[in-house]
Amino acid sequence: MASRAAGPTAPTASRGPTLWEGPPFVVYGHTPRPKIYRRKWSVCLDTACVQGGRLTAYVLPGKSFVQVKARKRYFP
């Protein structure tokens, strides 16, 4: 998948998540965004912890999210 503009919240994010039609349901990361990115058949958990954002976990089977604020910015 090529990286292409995906909107103002993820300027270099792959368009793959917007094209995925599922099933199955996919949980992924390595596409930092300021908020959890939810779609019908996928969720991106990468909320930019290394850049001072939050560390996010998806708790199963309840399908809930837990977040912890980063203590500092670890990467530019």
Side-chain angles (χ1 to χ4, degrees):
M1 244 179 264
S3 274
R4 296 165 80 183
T9 61
T12 60
S14 165
R15 291 190 65 230
T18 60
L19 300 175
W20 181 249
E21 295 179 5
F25 188 80
V26 176
V27 178
Y28 66 97
H30 295 283
T31 309
R33 297 172 180 269
K35 297 180 183 177
I36 297 167
Y37 185 64
R38 297 182 229 199
R39 309 278 300 162
K40 180 178 180 180
W41 289 104
S42 67
V43 63
C44 177
L45 299 181
D46 193 338
T47 46
C49 182
V50 73
Q51 297 158 333
R54 297 182 179 276
L55 179 64
T56 303
Y58 187 53
V59 182
L60 297 172
K63 298 181 182 177
S64 62
F65 296 95
V66 176
Q67 291 188 311
V68 177
K69 176 77 176 124
R71 291 184 182 175
K72 65 179 186 175
R73 185 180 185 104
Y74 299 90
F75 188 76

